[in-house]
Amino acid sequence: MKVFIIASAVLLGWVWANVEEDLFRRYSGSDRIMDQNEFTSYWLHFDRDGDGNVTKAEFDRTWRADGLGDEERAPFFFLEMDRVADEVLNKEDFVHMFHVFDENGDGQILQSEFTFNWKGLFDN
Ligand SMILES: *[C@@H]1O[C@H](CO)[C@@H](O)[C@H](O)[C@H]1NC(C)=O
């Protein structure tokens, strides 16, 4: 039992630590490079009613449902993402966020850029 609990904790820690890597793998496609469209399509998956705007409630709910961690800080993450400050997240914000993730401004986000910025923005 003890061993099982420890193994579960280790596995959970591993899964949690690799959330952003899994995410990158899923959305960057076979070229392992994330372009603006792929980046936007990830964030639009938070838009549960498909109206083009991610509301605060949709963001909190999806952040929790996806197990992205630090749920109690999701409201702060929402504010970080709301680059065009209008209390919704949409394509306008995702263009700005893409530039934040795209360190060298070449129009492509590599895994290293994604991980570095994800950790900086959304990890403790
Ligand atoms: C989405 O948000 C923008 C900016 O607040 C607003 O102008 C637009 O009407 C919203 N769209 C919908 C479908 O609610």
Side-chain angles (χ1 to χ4, degrees):
M1 188 63 186
K2 214 174 199 172
V3 171
F4 175 73
I5 290 170
I6 292 168
S8 304
V10 168
L11 190 66
L12 211 67
W14 184 83
V15 167
W16 184 79
N18 286 281
V19 153
E20 74 279 350
E21 282 165 34
D22 290 346
L23 229 157
F24 183 85
R25 228 169 283 133
R26 208 148 9 110
Y27 283 87
S28 62
S30 54
D31 61 0
R32 293 281 190 266
I33 290 168
M34 199 179 260
D35 61 22
Q36 176 76 66
N37 283 338
E38 290 163 339
F39 185 78
T40 296
S41 94
Y42 169 62
W43 292 109
L44 278 178
H45 114 97
F46 284 66
D47 177 19
R48 290 178 174 250
D49 66 5
D51 71 350
N53 287 335
V54 178
T55 63
K56 171 73 165 48
E58 287 173 323
F59 186 83
D60 286 344
R61 203 172 142 210
T62 309
W63 191 275
R64 190 171 312 118
D66 286 4
L68 296 176
D70 289 332
E71 287 160 15
E72 70 287 354
R73 295 182 71 221
F76 174 69
F77 302 150
F78 181 86
L79 289 179
E80 283 186 309
M81 295 279 304
D82 192 16
R83 307 304 300 169
V84 178
D86 55 5
E87 287 81 48
V88 289
L89 307 183
N90 56 32
K91 284 186 175 148
E92 290 183 55
D93 302 293
F94 305 145
V95 168
H96 288 291
M97 288 306 292
F98 184 81
H99 291 145
V100 171
F101 275 78
D102 180 15
E103 295 277 317
N104 62 1
D106 67 353
Q108 303 178 327
I109 301 173
L110 303 181
Q111 167 100 62
S112 54
E113 292 172 310
F114 191 81
T115 302
F116 176 76
N117 288 292
W118 183 280
K119 283 187 193 301
L121 290 162
F122 306 128
D123 279 3
N124 274 319

